[in-house]
């Protein structure tokens, strides 16, 4: 499981029939950036990678989400028996690492 930001969406009119009606989002995995002087966690940073994930929780563009990959992506009620390799399984309210809060939702 990893943290990612929803950066876009995918429209595919031709696809496997099991994907009909599924929301497909582009997500960018995030990593922890460290302060060079203190070597302590400073912020969440972009990786420059793009992954297409099925959304099963009602996420939206710009949100911080939890993503699973591989066989775990096919373990939700929605994605069981689907050709899925990445699934959004949570919307993040807050994220803390090494005692520092990196993200707090605005709601």
């Amino acid at each position: 499981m990893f943290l990612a930001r929803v950066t876009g969406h995918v429209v595919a009119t031709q696809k496997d029939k099991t994907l009909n009606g599924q929301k497909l989002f582009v997500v960018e995995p995030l990593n922890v950036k460290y302060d060079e002087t203190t070597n302590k966690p400073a912020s969440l940073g972009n990786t420059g990678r793009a992954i297409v994930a099925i959304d099963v929780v009602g996420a939206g563009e710009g949100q911080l989400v939890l993503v699973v990959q591989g066989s775990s992506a096919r373990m939700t009620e929605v994605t069981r028996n689907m050709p899925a390799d990445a699934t959004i399984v949570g919307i993040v309210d807050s994220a803390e690492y090494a005692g520092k809060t990196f993200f707090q939702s605005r709601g």
Side-chain angles (χ1 to χ4, degrees):
M1 191 176 307
F2 59 89
L3 291 172
R5 173 101 39 217
V6 178
T7 57
H9 65 278
V10 174
V11 176
T13 55
Q14 299 296 315
K15 58 187 169 280
D16 186 278
K17 66 181 178 181
T18 61
L19 293 174
N20 286 340
Q22 300 303 316
K23 282 195 331 189
L24 302 175
F25 280 127
V26 177
V27 297
E28 180 180 6
L30 302 175
N31 60 15
V32 176
K33 299 284 187 184
Y34 288 85
D35 183 291
E36 291 181 16
T37 57
T38 64
N39 203 29
K40 291 187 178 182
S43 64
L44 288 176
N46 298 336
T47 60
R49 296 176 50 219
I51 296 171
V52 175
I54 295 174
D55 174 36
V56 299
V57 295
E61 290 192 35
Q63 286 188 303
L64 190 65
V65 295
L66 290 172
V67 179
V68 292
Q69 282 189 297
S71 61
S72 295
R74 295 178 295 281
M75 294 180 114
T76 72
E77 288 183 26
V78 174
T79 59
R80 193 166 286 128
N81 298 318
M82 270 190 191
D85 188 54
T87 302
I88 297 170
V89 295
I91 300 171
V92 176
D93 296 313
S94 65
E96 182 181 308
Y97 177 73
K100 179 177 170 78
T101 301
F102 290 99
F103 176 80
Q104 186 70 46
S105 67
R106 291 179 247 146

